[in-house]
Amino acid sequence: MTKLDKPIALAADHGGFALKEAIKAHLQEKGLEFVDFGTTDGAACDYPDVALPACNAVVEGRCGLALLFCGTGVGISMAANKVRGIRACCCSDVFSAEFTRRHNDANALCMGGRVVGAGLACSLADAFLSAEYEGGRHDARVAKLTAIENQQAAL
Ligand code: RB5
């Protein structure tokens, strides 16, 4: 079973809304299933509010990976990384989008609608979605991320 056997969780605030819509069309062309957790229009909203349901869907196993969007990609990545079990990366280069899956086992890719165009965003999404976590020497490092989460949760 790969992460793509489950639908992809999508979410955006108003700053990322147009990019989310472009990515939806791209995923549809590729025959990839997704669940859109909003926002459903370009009206102003707060990125933590849209990040949370999409991230919950990933950590609860209803979705495999998340693609998240805001104006910069940064705010929604901060929100996503507050959710236990989420490893979100804000990327605007294809190498990082690929290697955050391969080395960090990232489960959320964040992009900025005011930073990257639709063409680059599709390439970032493709690199992220098609890469597989390599495990091996990376397992101990990812486990240390989880250990930090667990220590913080116990406070
Ligand atoms: C909204 O204007 C903007 O602040 C938000 O989309 C995001 O860029 C924050 O990180």
Side-chain angles (χ1 to χ4, degrees), residues 13-14 47 70-72 75 114:
D13 75 354
H14 55 290
Y47 51 82
C70 67
T72 58
R114 298 169 186 158

